[in-house]
Amino acid sequence: MSLQTHLGDRVDLERQKRFTRAHAACHDAVYRYFRRRTANPSTAEDLCAEVFRIAWEKSAHQDQDLSAMVLFGIAHNVLRNHQRSSARSASLLSSLFMERPDADQHQDHAAEPAASVRDALDQLKPDDREVLLLTYWDGFTSAEVSNLLNTSATAIRMRLHRARKALGQLLQREPESQESQR
């Protein structure tokens, strides 16, 4: 066995160990990140698998540690790509649906009711919602969120303050509107 082959095996083994450690440490958190932001568990699983596929590829080209910040940066980009793709698909389906002569007869009115917090989060601006989710559900600090979103920590803290205030106002309006309906 040549020295080069022996070194190559050792490098591959180290790469596998780094990846396995990162996967074990972050898989559940990355899955939960996607689960809160997607419509169903299978989409979250697919996106999570995509993150770790990309991480595996990156580990071959770079001798870097696959930290949680790196993995969540990849996850953020994968989610953005998924959202763009979903928007394009929805637009295409909408266009195709509108071209059908019997389009009015096939509308689905069965919508699943969501929790009041989920409804309030959905009403927030996307940037505000993302800052709240990254901070409170994913447990990142302002500095970490600023790294993920490519903005200053000060801007993140300000956005977080505004988002909390807006969410609080939306949640206060919810009980009032329910009482007025009774």
Side-chain angles (χ1 to χ4, degrees):
M1 178 184 279
S2 72
L3 180 60
Q4 186 175 8
T5 304
H6 182 63
L7 289 175
D9 291 344
R10 190 169 53 205
V11 169
D12 284 345
L13 184 59
E14 286 302 314
R15 175 184 176 206
Q16 289 174 359
K17 286 180 181 178
R18 272 195 330 267
F19 180 80
T20 302
R21 279 193 305 270
H23 187 272
C26 298
H27 179 272
D28 291 345
V30 170
Y31 172 77
R32 287 190 307 267
Y33 171 84
F34 287 126
R35 187 61 190 104
R36 283 188 297 275
R37 291 164 175 84
T38 58
N40 57 51
S42 62
T43 301
E45 290 170 8
D46 290 345
L47 295 175
C48 189
E50 179 69 6
V51 166
F52 286 99
R53 184 196 61 78
I54 292 168
W56 175 254
E57 288 176 2
K58 282 183 175 261
S59 70
H61 302 296
Q62 303 168 359
D63 194 28
Q64 69 177 12
D65 190 33
L66 296 172
S67 67
M69 291 305 297
V70 169
L71 292 173
F72 270 89
I74 295 169
H76 180 73
N77 292 333
V78 166
L79 182 63
R80 284 184 19 217
N81 289 341
H82 171 72
Q83 289 169 336
R84 282 193 295 265
S85 176
S86 295
R88 285 191 303 268
S89 295
S91 176
L92 177 61
L93 287 173
S94 176
S95 296
L96 291 172
F97 186 73
M98 292 306 208
E99 290 179 10
R100 289 180 51 192
D102 60 343
D104 295 338
Q105 299 171 4
H106 296 292
Q107 291 184 359
D108 183 18
H109 297 287
E112 182 178 309
S116 61
V117 173
R118 185 71 158 168
D119 289 342
L121 279 171
D122 288 342
Q123 293 176 31
L124 290 175
K125 295 178 189 172
D127 290 343
D128 290 346
R129 181 176 46 250
E130 186 67 9
V131 166
L132 283 172
L133 292 174
L134 286 170
T135 302
Y136 291 108
W137 275 319
D138 295 319
F140 289 116
T141 65
S142 295
E144 292 169 333
V145 173
S146 72
N147 286 339
L148 283 171
L149 300 180
N150 275 343
T151 188
S152 71
T154 304
I156 293 298
R157 286 190 294 275
M158 183 57 95
R159 193 182 298 168
L160 183 60
H161 172 74
R162 289 181 186 145
R164 282 192 303 244
K165 189 174 179 180
L167 182 64
Q169 290 172 347
L170 288 169
L171 289 172
Q172 284 179 342
R173 275 191 269 170
E174 175 89 12
E176 293 171 5
S177 65
Q178 287 177 354
E179 287 178 19
S180 66
Q181 292 175 353
R182 291 182 191 171

